[in-house]
Structures are given as C-alpha cells and as structure tokens.
Amino acid sequence: AVMIVLGVDPATSKSGFAVINDGELVLAEAFSRPSKMDIALRIYEMKQRVAQLVEEWEPDLIVVEHVRFSKYARNLDAMVKVAWAMGAVVAELAPTPYEVLTVPANAVRKKFEVKDKSGLRGVVNRRFADNLTQLGYAKGLLKSHEDISDAVGLAMVGPLLQKKKDA
C-alpha cells in the first residue's frame, strides 16, 4: 500500500515541511516568516501552511517534532515560543481524521544512529539526494536548512515508530 507521510518541524520563524510519497521525497520546504512579524501571526500562518499541505496531500500519517528541552536550557522565552508553534500544529490537526504522531528529535537521530543534527542531515541527504535534485534543490540544501532535514527525518522515521506503537 502506498503511504504518504507529512513531516513537520514547527517553529515561529522558520519551519520545515516534507512529504514522502511511497518512499520518494516529493516535497521539502522551509517556511519562513520575518522575526519582526507578530508572533501570533507567524504561528497562525505556519499553522495555515500545515492545513494547506494536509488538504493537498491527504497524508496517511503526520509526524510533528515534539520539542523537548533540558532543564539547563538557556533561553526560556524561545522554548515557550517553539512550544506554542508545536501546540498550534497539533491543535490544528486534532479534529481531522489523520493520524498524528509527535516524535522527539532525539528519537529520529537514534533511529538513524547519529548523534547530532549534522549527522541527520547526512543520512537524509544520502537517502534523498536524487529526489532533492529532481525537486530543483541545490546540492548543499540540507547543510543550510536543518529545518528541512529535520522534517524529512521525521517523515522517514514516522512509519517505523507508528508500527512500533501499533504492535
């Protein structure tokens, strides 16, 4: 059966979105909003973009990054804003019939046996280099867009974690 997976890396300024259709990357997108824009409006527009992608692709599974913070995190204000963005996405998807998984970034890296974001970018780039080129992206895309590689990683690992959850 063909599976369409939407990966979402929510944020207040730059979010990442990815769609994998039957194992092929068909969309990889960074969605940016100016940091001077009101935060509520930035989150609203990001949430609207998620709704557009869901309507366009009708995914079988939506995987949203679950942001976790250490008690030693330095910027509490930034943590709260990212949590707002994640909450807005999850709330947008709650009344829909789509299955939604929230997955911590470290679970994605653990699945691919990498220790950091640059390792994840390497895994994603190796797996989807041809797809990224076909989609018109430059070869160095993932080095400059960790939001995109995070979203692609979420879409890649979602079905593996879904099976584990269903078992």
Side-chain angles (χ1 to χ4, degrees), residues 120-137:
L120 177 61
R121 286 194 293 271
V123 167
V124 169
N125 201 33
R126 282 190 299 276
R127 171 69 177 84
F128 290 115
D130 291 341
N131 289 139
L132 289 165
T133 305
Q134 289 167 7
L135 290 169
Y137 296 111

Side-chain angles (χ1 to χ4, degrees), residues 69-73:
F69 298 100
S70 160
K71 65 181 178 180
Y72 305 107

Side-chain angles (χ1 to χ4, degrees), residues 3-60:
M3 182 174 224
I4 299 173
V5 183
L6 169 62
V8 179
D9 178 19
T12 57
S13 293
K14 194 187 313 178
S15 300
F17 304 111
V19 175
I20 296 178
N21 185 351
D22 197 25
E24 182 177 326
L25 182 66
V26 293
L27 177 118
E29 174 182 296
F31 184 79
S32 299
R33 303 280 37 57
S35 59
K36 291 182 180 183
M37 180 186 276
D38 178 72
I39 187 164
L41 190 55
R42 283 184 279 160
I43 291 172
Y44 175 78
E45 289 186 3
M46 184 264 310
K47 178 182 78 72
Q48 291 301 102
R49 182 63 185 135
V50 170
Q52 290 170 349
L53 290 169
V54 168
E55 185 176 329
E56 179 181 347
W57 290 98
E58 298 182 355
D60 301 293

Side-chain angles (χ1 to χ4, degrees), residues 21-119:
N21 185 351
D22 197 25
E24 182 177 326
L25 182 66
V26 293
L27 177 118
E29 174 182 296
F31 184 79
S32 299
R33 303 280 37 57
S35 59
K36 291 182 180 183
M37 180 186 276
D38 178 72
I39 187 164
L41 190 55
R42 283 184 279 160
I43 291 172
Y44 175 78
E45 289 186 3
M46 184 264 310
K47 178 182 78 72
Q48 291 301 102
R49 182 63 185 135
V50 170
Q52 290 170 349
L53 290 169
V54 168
E55 185 176 329
E56 179 181 347
W57 290 98
E58 298 182 355
D60 301 293
L61 178 63
I62 303 166
V63 188
V64 180
E65 182 172 7
H66 178 113
V67 183
R68 291 191 175 156
F69 298 100
S70 160
K71 65 181 178 180
Y72 305 107
R74 294 191 177 124
N75 191 339
L76 184 60
D77 188 50
M79 291 174 12
V80 168
K81 290 175 181 175
V82 172
W84 288 349
M86 188 186 100
V89 170
V90 172
E92 175 71 25
L93 298 171
T96 70
Y98 301 102
E99 181 174 359
V100 179
L101 285 181
T102 57
V103 176
N106 64 343
V108 176
R109 291 193 292 272
K110 187 175 178 183
K111 200 74 178 168
F112 294 114
E113 299 177 356
V114 295
K115 292 189 182 343
D116 56 23
K117 285 183 175 278
S118 62

